[in-house]
Amino acid sequence: MEETIAILDFGSQYGQLIARRVREHKVFSRLCRHDISCAELKKLNLKGLILSGGPASVYAEGSPRCDPDLFTLGVPVLGICYGMQIGCELLGGKIGMAHAREYGSTRLRLTESDGLLSHLAGEKTVWMSHGDQVRELSDDFISLGETPTCPYAAVRHNKVPFYGVQFHPEVTHTPCGSQIFQNFLYEICQCRGDWQMGNFIEQACEKIKSQVGDATVICGLSGGVDSSVTAALLHRAIGEQLVCIFVDNGLLRKGERDHVESTFRDHFQLDLRVVDWSERFLTRLAGVTDPQQKRTIIGHEFIEAFTHEADRIADVKFLAQGTLYPDVIESGHKDGNPAANIKLHHNVGGLPEKLGFELVEPLRDLFKDEVRLLGEHLGLPEALVWRHPFPGPGLAVRVVGDVTRERLDILRDADEIMLEEIRAAGLYRGIAQALTVLLPISSVGVMGDDRSYENQHVVAVRAVQTQDFMTADWVHIPYEVLGRISSRIINEVRGINRVVYDISSKPPATIEWE
């Protein structure tokens, strides 16, 4: 079992970021609910604990608490912000409202470069976000750093391996944060640092083999990063026991079906079943303009198409899907359990319940960037591994209004040009998601010597940059690139005479238009 750093989540907006920072230092991390018992923690190959920040006040009634016996586990503990405060309180300290709240960049003066703050000296810039702070500490504590308004900005305990920082070392606004994690993981917790993709592949393959035995596993392959990496990993583990099902819903990008077939059937030699259900999808969507109704119809038809093919495969007991760690965390937080459930949209439209299959989720411990790295290790093409997210309902939610074959073909051609141009400009990897949207607007224009209006559409181009897709900002694509995109779309795609660029951020706008 890999050595593990458990992160107790007290509701911090940076909980996942802490987990990622630990993994970037080649140590496996697991985000746990704040009240996980010591008995559960002992089941892990635990090397250390991190107590996250959180929005509550330690002294408030009903504030989140942790098992008070966690200091008996014999592993070092690092408290961050709220985590520092609750750790200090458990060890006899007093917490109260700060005389002056600290938000943003602050200068930390190091009073002792010991253990956690090794290889650091003098003053450092750190990121603060707190209204409470430690007011009193026992003689068993040693102050490691202070700010003008926070006398205990970093501390350690003399008798218990507890360290606390009032600032946030996990954010990039704390430049020395990486060194602090390095110190905690390697000098204090004595981690080996053997969390790497090569080892993960071996361990994941063994887990898959152990779970499925000789049974057949089916995998819904969409052509996206998560399902593609899932399929490649399963094929590495169980070979011919894997059957992949690709549903052509008629709402795909240009050349999508051919690309999936050539990659997985021809290159990886997978047993790939393609279900052409496009006519059914388009018939059901005819005249439907409400976005939620579109999604409902597409979800229903996907289940029908998938079930139709799954029923023809013998001895199927397992369904594989590309659930990622953030999906597990986010859904679990709804009931206070970071690892309890999976978000609905990752449940393959309800297929496990409908078909009675047991789930295989080999990526459920990974973040998105780790999945991409895994895909590279498994030999997937770079273009697939770094592909931008594509919505489950496909182009149906990028054709605003009525979804017809003609409007889909127009959007496919425009979309292909947009992608070609941002790749040619070297911008693709720096953009989190880029898309085109066909608007239900007829736009007057001049084509040749005539005014054009009938059957002339408007296309919106959108490109965003984001870390977590919860918030996003529009990308400042150079004017000359936007010019080429616009010129090519208008000249090469019959039916479009106007291109606009979406410069709205999320929030308030969503990334997709529908």
Side-chain angles (χ1 to χ4, degrees):
M1 180 186 296
E2 61 269 341
E3 55 184 13
T4 300
I5 297 293
I7 300 155
L8 275 57
D9 185 7
F10 291 92
S12 171
Q13 61 179 318
Y14 303 130
Q16 291 189 33
L17 188 54
I18 297 172
R20 290 170 65 99
R21 291 291 176 261
V22 172
R23 293 190 186 187
E24 286 170 1
H25 285 83
K26 301 187 184 304
V27 179
F28 183 69
S29 61
R30 184 176 295 279
L31 200 59
C32 305
R33 54 187 294 163
H34 60 83
D35 57 353
I36 185 173
S37 69
C38 287
E40 287 297 311
L41 289 171
K42 286 178 180 177
K43 295 178 182 178
L44 306 174
N45 183 18
L46 201 63
K47 297 291 289 185
L49 285 171
I50 297 178
L51 313 182
S52 84
S57 292
V58 169
Y59 50 81
E61 185 177 353
S63 61
R65 314 294 296 179
C66 56
D67 190 328
D69 292 331
L70 60 84
F71 293 116
T72 67
L73 292 171
V75 298
V77 180
L78 170 62
I80 297 175
C81 197
Y82 182 95
M84 170 186 174
Q85 294 168 16
I86 198 166
C88 288
E89 186 194 60
L90 288 172
L91 294 169
K94 302 294 184 184
I95 315 301
M97 188 178 296
H99 294 303
R101 297 183 298 175
E102 286 182 306
Y103 292 99
S105 292
T106 305
R107 295 297 291 174
L108 172 74
R109 187 177 73 85
L110 278 64
T111 54
E112 184 171 331
S113 294
D114 176 76
L116 188 67
L117 303 181
S118 293
H119 316 295
L120 302 173
E123 287 194 354
K124 299 295 178 185
T125 298
V126 298
W127 184 262
M128 289 284 197
S129 180
H130 69 100
D132 297 332
Q133 64 186 34
V134 177
R135 301 292 295 275
E136 295 180 23
L137 287 173
S138 70
D139 293 338
D140 290 325
F141 275 94
I142 295 175
S143 174
L144 304 178
E146 62 185 14
T147 72
T149 60
C150 183
Y152 302 118
V155 300
R156 72 174 175 87
H157 197 274
N158 249 335
K159 299 177 180 177
V160 175
F162 173 72
Y163 298 79
V165 291
Q166 185 59 65
F167 55 89
H168 289 273
E170 69 272 23
V171 302
T172 56
H173 303 296
T174 300
C176 62
S178 180
Q179 182 64 59
I180 291 172
F181 278 109
Q182 178 83 9
N183 292 340
F184 180 69
L185 296 172
Y186 289 96
E187 297 193 15
I188 296 173
C189 296
Q190 298 292 304
C191 292
R192 297 188 305 272
D194 53 8
W195 168 248
Q196 53 188 348
M197 273 305 143
N199 292 344
F200 175 83
I201 292 172
E202 295 176 12
Q203 295 168 7
C205 287
E206 289 304 314
K207 288 180 182 178
I208 292 167
K209 291 175 185 177
S210 175
Q211 181 182 2
V212 308
D214 297 326
T216 297
V217 180
I218 57 173
C219 176
L221 186 59
S222 69
V225 178
D226 303 341
S227 68
S228 297
V229 174
T230 298
L233 181 59
L234 281 159
H235 188 250
R236 171 79 66 91
I238 58 175
E240 295 180 357
Q241 292 172 239
L242 174 67
V243 179
C244 290
I245 298 175
F246 177 81
V247 176
D248 184 350
N249 57 14
L251 308 170
L252 307 172
R253 278 178 162 162
K254 196 168 186 176
E256 179 81 3
R257 175 172 167 176
D258 292 340
H259 178 66
V260 170
E261 290 192 81
S262 64
T263 299
F264 291 95
R265 181 179 287 157
D266 301 339
H267 179 68
F268 281 97
Q269 305 292 311
L270 269 89
D271 184 352
L272 176 64
R273 314 288 178 90
V274 177
V275 185
D276 191 338
W277 214 256
S278 56
E279 205 61 47
R280 283 276 298 268
F281 276 94
L282 294 180
T283 299
R284 289 287 312 282
L285 287 169
V288 177
T289 59
D290 179 72
Q292 193 56 42
Q293 192 177 354
K294 286 181 185 179
R295 292 176 182 272
T296 301
I297 290 170
I298 292 166
H300 174 79
E301 287 301 324
F302 176 80
I303 291 176
E304 291 297 312
F306 195 95
T307 304
H308 172 78
E309 188 62 33
D311 286 343
R312 302 169 60 187
I313 303 170
D315 302 320
V316 178
K317 295 182 180 179
F318 296 91
L319 172 69
Q321 64 183 40
T323 308
L324 305 191
Y325 196 38
D327 304 320
V328 178
I329 295 167
E330 289 170 19
S331 61
H333 278 178
K334 294 175 183 177
D335 62 4
N337 185 346
N341 303 304
I342 300 158
K343 286 191 293 190
L344 181 61
H345 72 267
H346 275 270
N347 202 11
V348 197
L351 281 169
E353 290 85 351
K354 183 176 179 65
L355 300 178
F357 295 149
E358 183 179 336
L359 284 174
V360 179
E361 300 169 307
L363 310 183
R364 63 180 287 121
D365 285 331
L366 300 183
F367 290 103
K368 189 76 171 189
D369 57 336
E370 293 171 327
V371 172
R372 295 190 193 278
L373 180 61
L374 175 58
E376 291 179 340
H377 275 264
L378 291 168
L380 288 170
E382 180 183 1
L384 192 157
V385 170
W386 290 97
R387 182 186 180 188
H388 291 177
F390 189 65
L395 296 180
V397 293
R398 294 180 180 174
V399 171
V400 179
D402 194 13
V403 179
T404 67
R405 193 179 298 277
E406 178 191 13
R407 299 187 77 210
L408 286 165
D409 287 340
I410 290 172
L411 184 60
R412 283 192 188 96
D413 289 341
D415 180 77
E416 184 179 42
I417 290 170
M418 180 269 299
L419 290 174
E420 285 176 357
E421 288 299 330
I422 63 173
R423 285 193 176 101
L427 300 173
Y428 189 84
R429 289 277 290 269
I431 296 173
Q433 190 167 347
L435 58 134
T436 52
V437 183
L438 188 66
L439 305 183
I441 302 170
S442 292
S443 172
V444 70
V446 178
M447 306 292 279
D449 294 328
D450 299 319
R451 287 166 65 84
S452 64
Y453 190 79
E454 289 295 326
N455 298 318
Q456 294 299 318
H457 299 86
V458 179
V459 159
V461 176
R462 181 148 171 74
V464 299
Q465 52 193 8
T466 177
Q467 292 293 321
D468 54 14
F469 290 89
M470 301 301 291
T471 61
D473 197 8
W474 59 281
V475 177
H476 293 244
I477 294 178
Y479 289 149
E480 59 268 22
V481 179
L482 288 174
R484 287 196 298 271
I485 292 171
S486 175
S487 178
R488 283 193 59 194
I489 289 176
I490 291 171
N491 286 314
E492 298 176 30
V493 183
R494 185 175 295 276
I496 296 176
N497 70 348
R498 193 177 299 271
V499 176
V500 298
Y501 188 49
D502 181 350
I503 59 170
S504 52
S505 298
K506 176 185 179 182
T510 55
I511 294 176
E512 298 287 345
W513 274 49
E514 286 195 340

mmCIF file of all heavy atoms in Angstrom, residues 461-494:
data_model
loop_
_atom_site.group_PDB
_atom_site.id
_atom_site.type_symbol
_atom_site.label_atom_id
_atom_site.label_comp_id
_atom_site.label_asym_id
_atom_site.label_seq_id
_atom_site.Cartn_x
_atom_site.Cartn_y
_atom_site.Cartn_z
ATOM 1 N N VAL A 461 -17.739 32.460 -30.793
ATOM 2 C CA VAL A 461 -16.542 31.717 -30.405
ATOM 3 C C VAL A 461 -16.285 32.003 -28.931
ATOM 4 O O VAL A 461 -16.383 33.148 -28.483
ATOM 5 C CB VAL A 461 -15.325 32.144 -31.247
ATOM 6 C CG1 VAL A 461 -14.058 31.439 -30.766
ATOM 7 C CG2 VAL A 461 -15.568 31.853 -32.720
ATOM 8 N N ARG A 462 -15.974 30.950 -28.165
ATOM 9 C CA ARG A 462 -15.711 31.121 -26.731
ATOM 10 C C ARG A 462 -14.453 30.352 -26.364
ATOM 11 O O ARG A 462 -14.267 29.201 -26.794
ATOM 12 C CB ARG A 462 -16.896 30.622 -25.913
ATOM 13 C CG ARG A 462 -16.741 30.781 -24.385
ATOM 14 C CD ARG A 462 -18.092 31.034 -23.758
ATOM 15 N NE ARG A 462 -18.156 30.997 -22.314
ATOM 16 C CZ ARG A 462 -17.695 31.947 -21.506
ATOM 17 N NH1 ARG A 462 -17.062 32.994 -22.003
ATOM 18 N NH2 ARG A 462 -17.860 31.858 -20.194
ATOM 19 N N ALA A 463 -13.585 30.969 -25.570
ATOM 20 C CA ALA A 463 -12.388 30.304 -25.056
ATOM 21 C C ALA A 463 -12.156 30.800 -23.633
ATOM 22 O O ALA A 463 -12.189 32.008 -23.383
ATOM 23 C CB ALA A 463 -11.174 30.612 -25.925
ATOM 24 N N VAL A 464 -11.948 29.865 -22.697
ATOM 25 C CA VAL A 464 -11.785 30.243 -21.293
ATOM 26 C C VAL A 464 -10.527 29.618 -20.711
ATOM 27 O O VAL A 464 -10.031 28.595 -21.187
ATOM 28 C CB VAL A 464 -13.013 29.810 -20.439
ATOM 29 C CG1 VAL A 464 -14.278 30.484 -20.929
ATOM 30 C CG2 VAL A 464 -13.172 28.296 -20.428
ATOM 31 N N GLN A 465 -10.034 30.252 -19.670
ATOM 32 C CA GLN A 465 -8.944 29.690 -18.878
ATOM 33 C C GLN A 465 -9.454 29.517 -17.452
ATOM 34 O O GLN A 465 -10.149 30.380 -16.915
ATOM 35 C CB GLN A 465 -7.715 30.582 -18.924
ATOM 36 C CG GLN A 465 -7.966 32.046 -18.571
ATOM 37 C CD GLN A 465 -6.802 32.926 -18.931
ATOM 38 O OE1 GLN A 465 -5.849 32.495 -19.570
ATOM 39 N NE2 GLN A 465 -6.857 34.194 -18.511
ATOM 40 N N THR A 466 -9.137 28.391 -16.844
ATOM 41 C CA THR A 466 -9.632 28.071 -15.511
ATOM 42 C C THR A 466 -8.783 26.970 -14.905
ATOM 43 O O THR A 466 -8.163 26.180 -15.625
ATOM 44 C CB THR A 466 -11.107 27.609 -15.562
ATOM 45 O OG1 THR A 466 -11.539 27.241 -14.234
ATOM 46 C CG2 THR A 466 -11.305 26.424 -16.485
ATOM 47 N N GLN A 467 -8.771 26.912 -13.572
ATOM 48 C CA GLN A 467 -8.085 25.836 -12.862
ATOM 49 C C GLN A 467 -9.043 24.717 -12.491
ATOM 50 O O GLN A 467 -8.679 23.548 -12.497
ATOM 51 C CB GLN A 467 -7.431 26.387 -11.581
ATOM 52 C CG GLN A 467 -6.269 27.343 -11.853
ATOM 53 C CD GLN A 467 -5.092 26.660 -12.491
ATOM 54 O OE1 GLN A 467 -4.747 25.532 -12.149
ATOM 55 N NE2 GLN A 467 -4.452 27.326 -13.440
ATOM 56 N N ASP A 468 -10.280 25.078 -12.159
ATOM 57 C CA ASP A 468 -11.196 24.083 -11.610
ATOM 58 C C ASP A 468 -12.557 24.045 -12.286
ATOM 59 O O ASP A 468 -13.418 23.259 -11.903
ATOM 60 C CB ASP A 468 -11.412 24.341 -10.112
ATOM 61 C CG ASP A 468 -11.867 25.776 -9.838
ATOM 62 O OD1 ASP A 468 -12.273 26.482 -10.784
ATOM 63 O OD2 ASP A 468 -11.812 26.181 -8.663
ATOM 64 N N PHE A 469 -12.796 24.887 -13.294
ATOM 65 C CA PHE A 469 -14.052 24.986 -14.019
ATOM 66 C C PHE A 469 -15.213 25.483 -13.150
ATOM 67 O O PHE A 469 -16.335 25.556 -13.618
ATOM 68 C CB PHE A 469 -14.425 23.655 -14.707
ATOM 69 C CG PHE A 469 -13.526 23.339 -15.866
ATOM 70 C CD1 PHE A 469 -12.354 22.618 -15.694
ATOM 71 C CD2 PHE A 469 -13.837 23.793 -17.136
ATOM 72 C CE1 PHE A 469 -11.505 22.351 -16.758
ATOM 73 C CE2 PHE A 469 -13.004 23.542 -18.214
ATOM 74 C CZ PHE A 469 -11.839 22.809 -18.028
ATOM 75 N N MET A 470 -14.931 25.813 -11.898
ATOM 76 C CA MET A 470 -15.948 26.432 -11.055
ATOM 77 C C MET A 470 -16.025 27.931 -11.356
ATOM 78 O O MET A 470 -17.095 28.531 -11.341
ATOM 79 C CB MET A 470 -15.630 26.210 -9.573
ATOM 80 C CG MET A 470 -15.535 24.740 -9.179
ATOM 81 S SD MET A 470 -17.058 23.825 -9.520
ATOM 82 C CE MET A 470 -18.150 24.549 -8.314
ATOM 83 N N THR A 471 -14.884 28.528 -11.616
ATOM 84 C CA THR A 471 -14.809 29.900 -12.095
ATOM 85 C C THR A 471 -13.939 29.888 -13.345
ATOM 86 O O THR A 471 -13.096 29.008 -13.517
ATOM 87 C CB THR A 471 -14.198 30.849 -11.049
ATOM 88 O OG1 THR A 471 -12.856 30.421 -10.763
ATOM 89 C CG2 THR A 471 -15.013 30.846 -9.767
ATOM 90 N N ALA A 472 -14.162 30.849 -14.227
ATOM 91 C CA ALA A 472 -13.385 30.885 -15.465
ATOM 92 C C ALA A 472 -13.357 32.312 -15.999
ATOM 93 O O ALA A 472 -14.288 33.092 -15.785
ATOM 94 C CB ALA A 472 -13.994 29.946 -16.506
ATOM 95 N N ASP A 473 -12.280 32.635 -16.707
ATOM 96 C CA ASP A 473 -12.169 33.944 -17.339
ATOM 97 C C ASP A 473 -11.935 33.729 -18.823
ATOM 98 O O ASP A 473 -11.383 32.702 -19.247
ATOM 99 C CB ASP A 473 -11.000 34.724 -16.732
ATOM 100 C CG ASP A 473 -11.090 36.217 -17.035
ATOM 101 O OD1 ASP A 473 -12.135 36.652 -17.570
ATOM 102 O OD2 ASP A 473 -10.120 36.926 -16.739
ATOM 103 N N TRP A 474 -12.362 34.703 -19.624
ATOM 104 C CA TRP A 474 -12.177 34.569 -21.067
ATOM 105 C C TRP A 474 -10.722 34.789 -21.445
ATOM 106 O O TRP A 474 -9.990 35.516 -20.788
ATOM 107 C CB TRP A 474 -13.096 35.531 -21.818
ATOM 108 C CG TRP A 474 -12.909 36.985 -21.501
ATOM 109 C CD1 TRP A 474 -13.373 37.662 -20.407
ATOM 110 C CD2 TRP A 474 -12.184 37.945 -22.279
ATOM 111 N NE1 TRP A 474 -13.005 38.978 -20.469
ATOM 112 C CE2 TRP A 474 -12.284 39.189 -21.605
ATOM 113 C CE3 TRP A 474 -11.498 37.887 -23.484
ATOM 114 C CZ2 TRP A 474 -11.701 40.349 -22.090
ATOM 115 C CZ3 TRP A 474 -10.904 39.044 -23.987
ATOM 116 C CH2 TRP A 474 -11.009 40.253 -23.286
ATOM 117 N N VAL A 475 -10.318 34.116 -22.499
ATOM 118 C CA VAL A 475 -8.925 34.165 -22.938
ATOM 119 C C VAL A 475 -8.724 35.346 -23.894
ATOM 120 O O VAL A 475 -9.526 35.565 -24.801
ATOM 121 C CB VAL A 475 -8.533 32.858 -23.654
ATOM 122 C CG1 VAL A 475 -7.106 32.937 -24.179
ATOM 123 C CG2 VAL A 475 -8.683 31.674 -22.703
ATOM 124 N N HIS A 476 -7.639 36.064 -23.707
ATOM 125 C CA HIS A 476 -7.319 37.202 -24.569
ATOM 126 C C HIS A 476 -6.594 36.699 -25.825
ATOM 127 O O HIS A 476 -5.380 36.853 -25.972
ATOM 128 C CB HIS A 476 -6.470 38.226 -23.814
ATOM 129 C CG HIS A 476 -7.208 38.894 -22.703
ATOM 130 N ND1 HIS A 476 -7.492 40.251 -22.690
ATOM 131 C CD2 HIS A 476 -7.758 38.407 -21.556
ATOM 132 C CE1 HIS A 476 -8.164 40.555 -21.590
ATOM 133 N NE2 HIS A 476 -8.337 39.452 -20.887
ATOM 134 N N ILE A 477 -7.346 36.066 -26.698
ATOM 135 C CA ILE A 477 -6.781 35.569 -27.953
ATOM 136 C C ILE A 477 -6.335 36.759 -28.798
ATOM 137 O O ILE A 477 -7.074 37.742 -28.940
ATOM 138 C CB ILE A 477 -7.821 34.719 -28.715
ATOM 139 C CG1 ILE A 477 -8.144 33.439 -27.927
ATOM 140 C CG2 ILE A 477 -7.328 34.369 -30.113
ATOM 141 C CD1 ILE A 477 -9.195 32.567 -28.585
ATOM 142 N N PRO A 478 -5.132 36.706 -29.366
ATOM 143 C CA PRO A 478 -4.659 37.829 -30.199
ATOM 144 C C PRO A 478 -5.647 38.160 -31.319
ATOM 145 O O PRO A 478 -6.273 37.264 -31.901
ATOM 146 C CB PRO A 478 -3.333 37.312 -30.760
ATOM 147 C CG PRO A 478 -2.867 36.309 -29.746
ATOM 148 C CD PRO A 478 -4.113 35.656 -29.234
ATOM 149 N N TYR A 479 -5.755 39.460 -31.605
ATOM 150 C CA TYR A 479 -6.702 39.902 -32.622
ATOM 151 C C TYR A 479 -6.465 39.230 -33.975
ATOM 152 O O TYR A 479 -7.409 38.897 -34.691
ATOM 153 C CB TYR A 479 -6.616 41.425 -32.800
ATOM 154 C CG TYR A 479 -7.165 42.224 -31.649
ATOM 155 C CD1 TYR A 479 -6.633 43.473 -31.324
ATOM 156 C CD2 TYR A 479 -8.227 41.741 -30.889
ATOM 157 C CE1 TYR A 479 -7.135 44.221 -30.263
ATOM 158 C CE2 TYR A 479 -8.734 42.479 -29.825
ATOM 159 C CZ TYR A 479 -8.182 43.715 -29.513
ATOM 160 O OH TYR A 479 -8.696 44.443 -28.470
ATOM 161 N N GLU A 480 -5.195 39.028 -34.327
ATOM 162 C CA GLU A 480 -4.927 38.438 -35.638
ATOM 163 C C GLU A 480 -5.429 36.996 -35.728
ATOM 164 O O GLU A 480 -5.858 36.542 -36.790
ATOM 165 C CB GLU A 480 -3.432 38.507 -35.976
ATOM 166 C CG GLU A 480 -2.503 37.797 -35.006
ATOM 167 C CD GLU A 480 -1.993 38.706 -33.897
ATOM 168 O OE1 GLU A 480 -2.654 39.738 -33.618
ATOM 169 O OE2 GLU A 480 -0.939 38.386 -33.327
ATOM 170 N N VAL A 481 -5.387 36.278 -34.591
ATOM 171 C CA VAL A 481 -5.916 34.904 -34.582
ATOM 172 C C VAL A 481 -7.436 34.932 -34.690
ATOM 173 O O VAL A 481 -8.042 34.174 -35.454
ATOM 174 C CB VAL A 481 -5.470 34.151 -33.309
ATOM 175 C CG1 VAL A 481 -6.051 32.736 -33.295
ATOM 176 C CG2 VAL A 481 -3.951 34.106 -33.218
ATOM 177 N N LEU A 482 -8.065 35.814 -33.913
ATOM 178 C CA LEU A 482 -9.518 35.955 -34.020
ATOM 179 C C LEU A 482 -9.911 36.358 -35.443
ATOM 180 O O LEU A 482 -10.930 35.892 -35.978
ATOM 181 C CB LEU A 482 -10.023 37.004 -33.031
ATOM 182 C CG LEU A 482 -10.008 36.614 -31.546
ATOM 183 C CD1 LEU A 482 -10.388 37.812 -30.682
ATOM 184 C CD2 LEU A 482 -10.949 35.441 -31.271
ATOM 185 N N GLY A 483 -9.102 37.207 -36.058
ATOM 186 C CA GLY A 483 -9.385 37.626 -37.420
ATOM 187 C C GLY A 483 -9.350 36.465 -38.394
ATOM 188 O O GLY A 483 -10.206 36.355 -39.287
ATOM 189 N N ARG A 484 -8.347 35.602 -38.249
ATOM 190 C CA ARG A 484 -8.259 34.440 -39.140
ATOM 191 C C ARG A 484 -9.431 33.491 -38.927
ATOM 192 O O ARG A 484 -9.981 32.929 -39.884
ATOM 193 C CB ARG A 484 -6.930 33.706 -38.924
ATOM 194 C CG ARG A 484 -5.718 34.433 -39.479
ATOM 195 C CD ARG A 484 -4.515 33.508 -39.588
ATOM 196 N NE ARG A 484 -4.081 32.983 -38.302
ATOM 197 C CZ ARG A 484 -3.197 33.593 -37.523
ATOM 198 N NH1 ARG A 484 -2.671 34.756 -37.904
ATOM 199 N NH2 ARG A 484 -2.826 33.051 -36.378
ATOM 200 N N ILE A 485 -9.798 33.278 -37.644
ATOM 201 C CA ILE A 485 -10.940 32.406 -37.350
ATOM 202 C C ILE A 485 -12.195 32.952 -38.012
ATOM 203 O O ILE A 485 -12.930 32.229 -38.702
ATOM 204 C CB ILE A 485 -11.146 32.284 -35.818
ATOM 205 C CG1 ILE A 485 -9.994 31.520 -35.179
ATOM 206 C CG2 ILE A 485 -12.480 31.596 -35.513
ATOM 207 C CD1 ILE A 485 -10.015 31.544 -33.660
ATOM 208 N N SER A 486 -12.448 34.246 -37.824
ATOM 209 C CA SER A 486 -13.640 34.864 -38.389
ATOM 210 C C SER A 486 -13.637 34.802 -39.908
ATOM 211 O O SER A 486 -14.628 34.418 -40.537
ATOM 212 C CB SER A 486 -13.739 36.317 -37.916
ATOM 213 O OG SER A 486 -14.828 36.969 -38.537
ATOM 214 N N SER A 487 -12.513 35.167 -40.513
ATOM 215 C CA SER A 487 -12.425 35.198 -41.968
ATOM 216 C C SER A 487 -12.659 33.817 -42.570
ATOM 217 O O SER A 487 -13.415 33.663 -43.539
ATOM 218 C CB SER A 487 -11.059 35.738 -42.386
ATOM 219 O OG SER A 487 -10.931 35.746 -43.794
ATOM 220 N N ARG A 488 -12.018 32.807 -41.984
ATOM 221 C CA ARG A 488 -12.161 31.450 -42.534
ATOM 222 C C ARG A 488 -13.580 30.925 -42.371
ATOM 223 O O ARG A 488 -14.129 30.300 -43.284
ATOM 224 C CB ARG A 488 -11.173 30.502 -41.863
ATOM 225 C CG ARG A 488 -9.738 30.638 -42.356
ATOM 226 C CD ARG A 488 -8.918 29.446 -41.875
ATOM 227 N NE ARG A 488 -9.479 28.189 -42.372
ATOM 228 C CZ ARG A 488 -9.151 26.984 -41.902
ATOM 229 N NH1 ARG A 488 -8.294 26.872 -40.894
ATOM 230 N NH2 ARG A 488 -9.688 25.895 -42.409
ATOM 231 N N ILE A 489 -14.177 31.151 -41.197
ATOM 232 C CA ILE A 489 -15.539 30.648 -40.974
ATOM 233 C C ILE A 489 -16.510 31.290 -41.966
ATOM 234 O O ILE A 489 -17.315 30.607 -42.606
ATOM 235 C CB ILE A 489 -15.982 30.899 -39.518
ATOM 236 C CG1 ILE A 489 -15.218 29.977 -38.560
ATOM 237 C CG2 ILE A 489 -17.490 30.662 -39.368
ATOM 238 C CD1 ILE A 489 -15.517 30.224 -37.092
ATOM 239 N N ILE A 490 -16.423 32.613 -42.127
ATOM 240 C CA ILE A 490 -17.355 33.308 -43.016
ATOM 241 C C ILE A 490 -17.142 32.898 -44.473
ATOM 242 O O ILE A 490 -18.101 32.709 -45.228
ATOM 243 C CB ILE A 490 -17.211 34.833 -42.843
ATOM 244 C CG1 ILE A 490 -17.743 35.252 -41.466
ATOM 245 C CG2 ILE A 490 -17.957 35.582 -43.942
ATOM 246 C CD1 ILE A 490 -17.471 36.691 -41.097
ATOM 247 N N ASN A 491 -15.875 32.704 -44.866
ATOM 248 C CA ASN A 491 -15.580 32.362 -46.258
ATOM 249 C C ASN A 491 -15.779 30.892 -46.585
ATOM 250 O O ASN A 491 -16.103 30.544 -47.722
ATOM 251 C CB ASN A 491 -14.138 32.764 -46.608
ATOM 252 C CG ASN A 491 -13.972 34.261 -46.763
ATOM 253 O OD1 ASN A 491 -14.778 34.913 -47.419
ATOM 254 N ND2 ASN A 491 -12.945 34.817 -46.154
ATOM 255 N N GLU A 492 -15.575 30.017 -45.598
ATOM 256 C CA GLU A 492 -15.576 28.578 -45.884
ATOM 257 C C GLU A 492 -16.844 27.851 -45.452
ATOM 258 O O GLU A 492 -17.105 26.744 -45.922
ATOM 259 C CB GLU A 492 -14.361 27.924 -45.207
ATOM 260 C CG GLU A 492 -13.027 28.434 -45.712
ATOM 261 C CD GLU A 492 -11.848 27.838 -44.962
ATOM 262 O OE1 GLU A 492 -11.971 26.684 -44.489
ATOM 263 O OE2 GLU A 492 -10.807 28.520 -44.843
ATOM 264 N N VAL A 493 -17.624 28.440 -44.556
ATOM 265 C CA VAL A 493 -18.819 27.754 -44.059
ATOM 266 C C VAL A 493 -20.056 28.436 -44.631
ATOM 267 O O VAL A 493 -20.395 29.564 -44.243
ATOM 268 C CB VAL A 493 -18.869 27.752 -42.517
ATOM 269 C CG1 VAL A 493 -20.091 26.961 -42.045
ATOM 270 C CG2 VAL A 493 -17.588 27.158 -41.934
ATOM 271 N N ARG A 494 -20.703 27.753 -45.543
ATOM 272 C CA ARG A 494 -21.911 28.316 -46.148
ATOM 273 C C ARG A 494 -23.011 28.410 -45.090
ATOM 274 O O ARG A 494 -23.300 27.433 -44.407
ATOM 275 C CB ARG A 494 -22.367 27.440 -47.310
ATOM 276 C CG ARG A 494 -23.553 28.010 -48.096
ATOM 277 C CD ARG A 494 -23.855 27.139 -49.297
ATOM 278 N NE ARG A 494 -22.757 27.148 -50.253
ATOM 279 C CZ ARG A 494 -22.587 28.071 -51.186
ATOM 280 N NH1 ARG A 494 -23.447 29.075 -51.279
ATOM 281 N NH2 ARG A 494 -21.570 27.997 -52.019
#
